[in-house]
Amino acid sequence: MGRSRARALGRGGPWALGPSPALPPPLPPETGGAAGVAAGVMSQKEPDLELLPPAGSAPRCPEHAQELKWFCSAERRLVCAGCRGPGGRCREHHVRRAEERAEELRNKIVDQCEKLQLQSAGITKYMAEVLPRKNQNTATMASGAREVVIQRLGLVRNVCESEEQRLLEQVHAEEERAHQSILTQRSHWTEALQKLGTIRTKLVDMLTDLDDHSLIQSEREIFERTEEAEGILDPQESEKLNFNQKCVRSPLLTQLWASAVLCCLSGTEDIRVDERTISPFLQLSEDRKTLTFNPKKSKGYADSPERFDHWPNALASTSFQSGLHAWMVHVENSCAYKVGVSSSQLPRKGAGSDTRLGHNAFSWVFSRYDQEFRFLHCGQPQPLALLRCPDRIGVLLDLAAGELLFYEPTSGTLLCSYHTQFEGPIFPVFAVADQNISIVQ
């Protein structure tokens, strides 16, 4: 079986690297069967030792002058029948026929060549599919980052032209870095493929050209070649191949942009609360802009799929899927409230944390409880150090850039910001557990 795999490998099987070596002429009829097939594989220049004439050309034991037809596993060398017989140095060692050891080495070479072929295929696929996709994604994301930078700085160009230049240079540098990383990866894996091909070619040559004795004597070289191939690792995912969007984040840019947007909007969205969603612990004013907390659960609200039935939450009737939006909430009267946004997937029923604002993956809120201010999302609080309690909270939502900002309109102070790709529709969301809060237009 091993010689058959070896012949398939050497003659043009799926792992062959080049033309098959010329085969020897067919043997006479008396050498047919398995012995004939095995003898036919060997080259004419180096026939099998069993077929050699007794002219002393075959390797012989220097101690017993007999042919080396056996392999001692303990001493890792070829020995003769005298060595393994009574009184021989290998009489108590594990000794087997040299042909068996050569067959074992052939099978190891075949298995290693198969592994090298699979590894080469994986690297080829990585270079053909992953790296081009990374390259395209980097170009796309870099283009989007440029649009964000140019759009925002266009609003405050007279104040921050130098900031625009600096950020664009960072985007360019990040794009160049990502492209260079991809080129480096391509070069590295091209070299790895060449090295694997060279190793495999050498192993195939050894497999097809060496006789049993030469093959056994080349075992160390086989091991070194195999170890060298195993040192070439498979490609791994790396953030170095991706464009880093953080390069366009600038506190100065964010602050100036938010201030400019608020000035340009000359007002805020006309946001009103959807009365179908308000909790029975809340009361809604006639203009649907003020929410008041009631510690006693009201029985006057009909249950509906839209209504929060436990936590004092409420959604706005307006939702957004794109664009830039801003609104303000008067919070001076309350010491326990939440203001922010949520998706339509926000659960409404039950007292579990999955229905609490900021404790799930569907809501992003600025929260106050007594003197603690936090940003909440997925139940992970981000403490905020505020010098004073704001009387108003402004919310700025940029769906195109994937950015949510909370600010204090009076001073223009940025309280916190969050970057993510919001999947619409996105609703303004509110919660109050002390006094009242009101939407300000």
Side-chain angles (χ1 to χ4, degrees):
M1 177 61 184
R3 288 181 182 268
S4 300
R5 296 174 68 194
R7 286 197 297 274
L9 182 64
R11 293 180 186 173
W15 306 279
L17 297 179
S20 306
L23 295 177
L27 296 173
E30 60 271 22
T31 61
V37 174
V41 178
M42 308 307 295
S43 65
Q44 291 179 333
K45 294 181 181 180
E46 299 181 8
D48 190 271
L49 293 177
E50 296 290 338
L51 303 179
L52 281 174
S57 58
R60 292 181 176 273
C61 176
E63 182 179 354
H64 302 98
Q66 298 183 28
E67 292 187 25
L68 302 175
K69 294 184 177 182
W70 301 88
F71 177 77
C72 177
S73 299
E75 298 187 3
R76 312 295 296 177
R77 67 183 184 88
L78 292 168
V79 297
C80 69
C83 294
R84 67 182 291 267
R89 63 192 303 177
C90 299
R91 64 184 180 279
E92 296 182 356
H93 297 169
H94 176 67
V95 179
R96 52 179 170 162
R97 298 190 67 85
E99 292 88 340
E100 295 178 4
R101 177 56 180 168
E103 188 73 6
E104 180 182 350
L105 289 176
R106 285 192 179 90
N107 289 334
K108 286 184 178 180
I109 293 176
V110 171
D111 292 340
Q112 185 59 41
C113 289
E114 290 175 350
K115 291 179 181 179
L116 294 178
Q117 180 67 16
L118 292 176
Q119 185 178 12
S120 298
I123 294 176
T124 300
K125 182 178 179 181
Y126 178 80
M127 294 177 61
E129 298 179 6
V130 177
L131 292 183
R133 184 168 65 249
K134 294 288 186 182
N135 203 47
Q136 180 62 37
N137 289 345
T138 295
T140 301
M141 296 177 71
S143 177
R146 287 192 187 90
E147 291 179 3
V148 171
V149 173
I150 294 174
Q151 177 187 13
R152 290 187 174 183
L153 288 175
L155 298 172
V156 290
R157 188 169 300 277
N158 293 334
V159 181
C160 57
E161 287 185 353
S162 61
E163 185 73 355
E164 177 187 21
Q165 182 64 31
R166 184 182 71 86
L167 290 174
L168 289 177
E169 288 177 357
Q170 285 191 181
V171 170
H172 178 72
E174 175 61 19
E175 182 183 19
E176 288 295 316
R177 183 208 59 77
H179 282 308
Q180 186 60 44
S181 296
I182 294 171
L183 290 175
T184 301
Q185 284 281 300
R186 185 182 298 278
S187 174
H188 170 77
W189 292 116
T190 299
E191 181 181 349
L193 281 176
Q194 293 174 350
K195 185 178 294 185
L196 289 174
T198 301
I199 296 172
R200 186 174 174 277
T201 299
K202 180 61 177 178
L203 291 176
V204 171
D205 289 344
M206 296 173 68
L207 179 68
T208 56
D209 296 339
L210 299 182
D211 61 13
D212 292 356
H213 296 82
S214 300
L215 189 64
I216 293 173
Q217 292 171 352
S218 302
E219 181 178 0
R220 180 168 183 79
E221 183 180 357
I222 295 172
F223 173 77
E224 291 175 351
R225 298 281 183 177
T226 301
E227 190 176 50
E228 182 182 1
E230 291 175 349
I232 301 176
L233 304 178
D234 294 330
Q236 301 293 329
E237 174 63 28
S238 173
E239 285 299 321
K240 294 181 179 180
L241 300 178
N242 299 326
F243 183 88
N244 186 359
Q245 289 183 304
K246 292 182 179 180
C247 68
V248 299
R249 296 181 186 176
S250 163
L252 174 61
L253 172 61
T254 301
Q255 186 72 48
L256 294 175
W257 171 75
S259 300
V261 167
L262 295 174
C263 293
C264 293
L265 289 176
S266 65
T268 57
E269 304 270 351
D270 184 15
I271 303 295
R272 297 177 186 271
V273 175
D274 186 349
E275 57 186 352
R276 299 174 302 171
T277 68
I278 63 173
S279 163
F281 292 99
L282 298 178
Q283 292 181 352
L284 182 63
S285 62
E286 291 186 2
D287 62 1
R288 297 193 296 145
K289 288 181 175 291
T290 300
L291 288 169
T292 303
F293 176 71
N294 185 356
K296 294 184 179 181
K297 187 175 183 178
S298 173
K299 299 181 180 179
Y301 296 121
D303 191 21
S304 66
E306 296 85 5
R307 190 178 307 283
F308 294 95
D309 65 358
H310 182 77
W311 299 105
N313 305 337
L315 288 180
S317 57
T318 304
S319 65
F320 313 113
Q321 302 219 32
S322 61
L324 183 64
H325 308 277
W327 60 95
M328 288 188 293
V329 182
H330 187 273
V331 296
E332 186 178 18
N333 298 331
S334 178
C335 292
Y337 61 83
K338 294 178 181 178
V339 176
V341 298
S342 74
S343 72
S344 58
Q345 297 174 281
L346 179 66
R348 315 292 176 87
K349 306 299 181 182
S353 293
D354 59 333
T355 59
R356 296 178 65 187
L357 298 185
H359 288 262
N360 49 64
F362 310 110
S363 57
W364 301 259
V365 296
F366 176 92
S367 168
R368 177 188 177 182
Y369 184 78
D370 198 8
Q371 297 301 311
E372 295 181 0
F373 298 88
R374 301 178 296 177
F375 172 79
L376 289 172
H377 175 60
C378 285
Q380 298 179 354
Q382 176 185 334
L384 304 174
L386 274 62
L387 298 178
R388 65 184 185 87
C389 299
D391 55 0
R392 292 185 179 187
I393 299 294
V395 184
L396 188 59
L397 176 64
D398 188 349
L399 291 173
E403 188 168 8
L404 173 66
L405 285 80
F406 296 94
Y407 64 95
E408 185 182 20
T410 304
S411 62
T413 302
L414 180 65
L415 302 178
C416 67
S417 64
Y418 188 82
H419 296 261
T420 189
Q421 291 301 317
F422 297 97
E423 297 183 2
I426 298 297
F427 294 82
V429 67
F430 316 92
V432 57
D434 174 61
Q435 301 298 321
N436 60 74
I437 59 174
S438 300
I439 303 170
V440 179
Q441 184 175 1

